Structure formats: C-alpha cells, structure tokens
Amino acid sequence: MSMFLLLFLLAATPDVTPQAEVVDGLVEAGMPEAALKLCSELRSQGFSGPPLDVAQARAMHKLGMSDEAANLLLKTTKKYPRTADAWAMLGVIQADQNQLPEALHSLERAHQLSPEDPDILNNLAYVQMATGDLKSAIQNFETAPKLNPSDAR
C-alpha cells in the first residue's frame, strides 16, 4: 500500500477512541442502556472501529446480551486480528458463558498481542485455573501485578 493511500485512509477515518471511552464510562457508571444508545448514534455519524466495537460489546454484555456481544467481537477479531482489546473482551465473555477452550484461545491471543497488560494476564490466569492448568495460572497471577506496579491489587 502506498504511503499516500495510507495517509488518505487515516485522514478519512475518524478517531473513535475518545468516543469509545465515553461509552465505557457510561457502562462503568451503571448506564449500559445509554452506552448502547450512544454507540448507535456514533455509528449513524460514521464512527466505527475496534474501540467502538469493544465498548459496545461491553455494554451489551452488561445488559445480558452476551451472544450478540460475542458475535460482534468475533467479527471484529476477524476484520482486525491484531486488536488485543477485542480478543480480551471476547475471552471474558466466553469465560462467562463457560466456553473455556474458546476463552483460553481468545485470552492467549490477547496476551500475545499485549504482553504487558496486567488485566489480560490476570483474566488469562482465571481461565487457566478454571481449565485445571494451575501451574500456569499461579505463574500468571504472580506476574500480572508486576506488570503495573502502581496498580496495587
């Protein structure tokens, strides 16, 4: 791909990260319905991309729409296979649905893409523990807090 085409595509693609953070804030504040409404409005304005998909999936999951959230993230990971947050959220949803082999795969992929993320490693450790891989789980539970020493867990 030429540099000109790459720059053109980047300029034509609105950065959705700040909007996705607002959606996440609504979910964290206990307003997942409002978060989904905002996602719909953002999409109608032309915003799209993995951060918005992940935020929308998080809101859907909070509302018990886990199948829909997982389907959205499966599409996201297929289209953007190097998006750690999408793989991580997919793994969390799969674990909540007791789809442990799938969750393990998704969280391992997320960890490969973002090896310094303590939340991903911690979630991976929980799934490893649930699948009986206690040695790996213990190692990852011990390593996760060291990745972000300012985050006392």
Side-chain angles (χ1 to χ4, degrees):
M1 180 180 303
S2 75
M3 183 59 80
F4 174 77
L5 180 57
L6 180 61
L7 290 173
F8 175 77
L9 291 173
L10 287 174
T13 305
D15 180 18
V16 72
T17 303
Q19 290 82 358
E21 289 173 357
V22 172
V23 172
D24 278 333
L26 289 170
V27 173
E28 291 301 316
M31 300 185 294
E33 297 90 355
L36 282 183
K37 183 177 179 184
L38 179 57
C39 286
S40 179
E41 290 174 18
L42 290 168
R43 290 187 188 284
S44 72
Q45 294 175 17
F47 288 96
S48 64
L52 186 57
D53 293 348
V54 172
Q56 181 174 344
R58 191 171 284 118
M60 295 167 112
H61 182 58
K62 201 72 135 174
L63 289 170
M65 302 167 60
S66 297
D67 289 338
E68 295 90 338
N71 287 332
L72 173 61
L73 292 170
L74 284 169
K75 291 176 188 173
T76 304
T77 56
K78 186 172 185 174
K79 188 172 180 179
Y80 304 99
R82 299 197 49 79
T83 305
D85 289 343
W87 284 108
M89 187 68 212
L90 178 59
V92 168
I93 292 169
Q94 291 166 327
D96 286 350
Q97 293 179 318
N98 204 32
Q99 299 172 354
L100 298 180
E102 295 87 349
L104 187 61
H105 168 77
S106 296
L107 289 165
E108 285 174 342
R109 182 73 177 122
H111 179 59
Q112 289 171 352
L113 293 169
S114 188
E116 299 299 315
D117 187 316
D119 293 327
I120 291 173
L121 190 58
N122 200 50
N123 288 333
L124 176 59
Y126 276 109
V127 172
Q128 289 168 327
M129 185 173 63
T131 60
D133 185 0
L134 299 181
K135 182 179 179 183
S136 295
I138 290 168
Q139 178 182 353
N140 288 331
F141 277 132
E142 290 173 348
T143 302
K146 295 174 188 170
L147 295 177
N148 188 1
S150 64
D151 184 12
R153 291 181 189 217

